Amino acid sequence: MKLTVVGCSGSFPSADSACSSYLVEADGFRLLLDMGNGALGELQRHCGLYDLDAIFLSHLHADHCIDMCGYFVARYYRHDGGRCPPMPVYGPEGTEQRLTTAYADTPSASSMSEVFDFHTLKPASFEIGPFSVRTERVRHPVEAYAIRIEHGGSTLTYSGDTGVSPELDELAEGADLFLCEASFTYGKEDIPDLHLNGREAGLCARDAGAGRLVLTHIPPWTDPAASLADARSVYPGPLEVASPGTVYEI
């Protein structure tokens, strides 16, 4: 598998990064994890507009899904080659309605489904293209999911947005690469069931035996160096902060 960081800023785009979006590729299949603010533009540095095969939306906060509205325009109004056929989109219950409301002026109430084939996420194991995936609901104010992706004997786990969650611990078990949010600063913010800090992400990775930890979803007002140091204090393995354009071979 190949993982490309399209965007990794939390809450809103920074001067250097779009919001959450990660491209996972294997056997010619392209799966996008989230499409937050600014991600659609950055995605085109790594993948053609019409080369995606499926999209996973961890939850329906704008910094993880709002550029789907722009992507709707690209797929629905494409003139060269005609309108795109429906592409699988996996998201929480109400994803189609959320995106239709956010766009606010679709030609009809069902226009989104003409280019997106919506699938409702639940805790489950299933296939997306060549990937074997498992999804679990995690701790966040809205319905939110983490995902474990397996292919060719390798495993990637993506936390989405979550507080400390036993479900995330299970999905991260033995992962070769654990892409984990670290929105909060240890000792500064302590709000349960919202986000992780660097130390909590490190503890989760350590206890799960993850082979590599990549911290992501760090908001512009949070010091990534502090999050990195807090994670390093408890996690002994390879560790870094995500940055746009970074590519990982898993």
Side-chain angles (χ1 to χ4, degrees):
M1 288 187 288
K2 182 171 80 170
L3 168 68
T4 302
V5 178
V6 178
C8 52
S9 185
S11 299
F12 58 95
S14 71
D16 301 313
S17 178
C19 283
S20 293
S21 193
Y22 312 92
L23 181 63
V24 184
E25 301 174 79
D27 296 346
F29 190 95
R30 296 179 175 91
L31 169 65
L32 191 70
L33 308 179
D34 287 334
M35 192 184 283
N37 317 42
L40 183 59
E42 288 299 312
L43 177 65
Q44 294 171 71
R45 298 180 185 273
H46 311 288
C47 174
L49 270 177
Y50 307 109
D51 293 336
L52 289 179
D53 295 292
I55 296 174
F56 166 86
L57 299 177
S58 64
H59 65 293
L60 300 180
H61 280 154
D63 60 325
H64 291 257
C65 74
I66 200 63
D67 268 25
M68 289 291 291
C69 291
Y71 196 40
F72 164 76
V73 173
R75 295 182 68 82
Y76 190 89
Y77 294 105
R78 184 180 69 165
H79 292 290
D80 293 339
R83 183 175 299 164
C84 296
M87 181 185 66
V89 174
Y90 299 82
E93 187 173 357
T95 294
E96 180 178 1
Q97 292 79 8
R98 174 74 169 88
L99 296 178
T100 300
T101 300
Y103 189 85
D105 192 27
T106 55
S108 75
S110 61
S111 293
M112 284 280 176
S113 62
E114 294 182 41
V115 292
F116 298 133
D117 179 17
F118 291 100
H119 298 258
T120 300
L121 287 173
K122 298 293 180 186
S125 297
F126 53 99
E127 307 294 317
I128 301 179
F131 303 113
S132 296
V133 306
R134 177 183 167 194
T135 53
E136 293 288 350
R137 186 167 178 176
V138 289
R139 310 293 177 87
H140 204 52
V142 300
E143 187 177 357
Y145 290 86
I147 186 170
R148 179 183 177 96
I149 304 171
E150 299 183 9
H151 176 75
S154 298
T155 301
L156 163 67
T157 298
Y158 169 49
S159 68
D161 280 10
T162 182
V164 174
S165 170
E167 293 81 6
L168 179 61
D169 298 342
E170 292 179 16
L171 292 188
E173 186 71 30
D176 295 288
L177 191 149
F178 183 24
L179 181 63
C180 186
E181 75 117 290
S183 306
F184 285 164
T185 300
Y186 176 58
K188 177 182 176 183
E189 298 126 327
D190 185 15
I191 305 171
D193 299 337
L194 182 57
H195 289 298
L196 298 172
N197 58 48
R199 187 175 190 276
E200 290 167 335
L203 286 170
C204 182
R206 183 196 70 187
D207 294 347
R212 185 174 194 168
L213 173 61
V214 178
L215 302 178
T216 194
H217 197 271
I218 298 177
W221 54 55
T222 297
D223 180 5
S227 298
L228 188 67
D230 290 336
R232 185 169 284 128
S233 71
V234 294
Y235 175 69
L239 167 66
E240 62 196 273
V241 173
S243 60
T246 303
V247 176
Y248 300 93
E249 297 288 343
I250 306 170

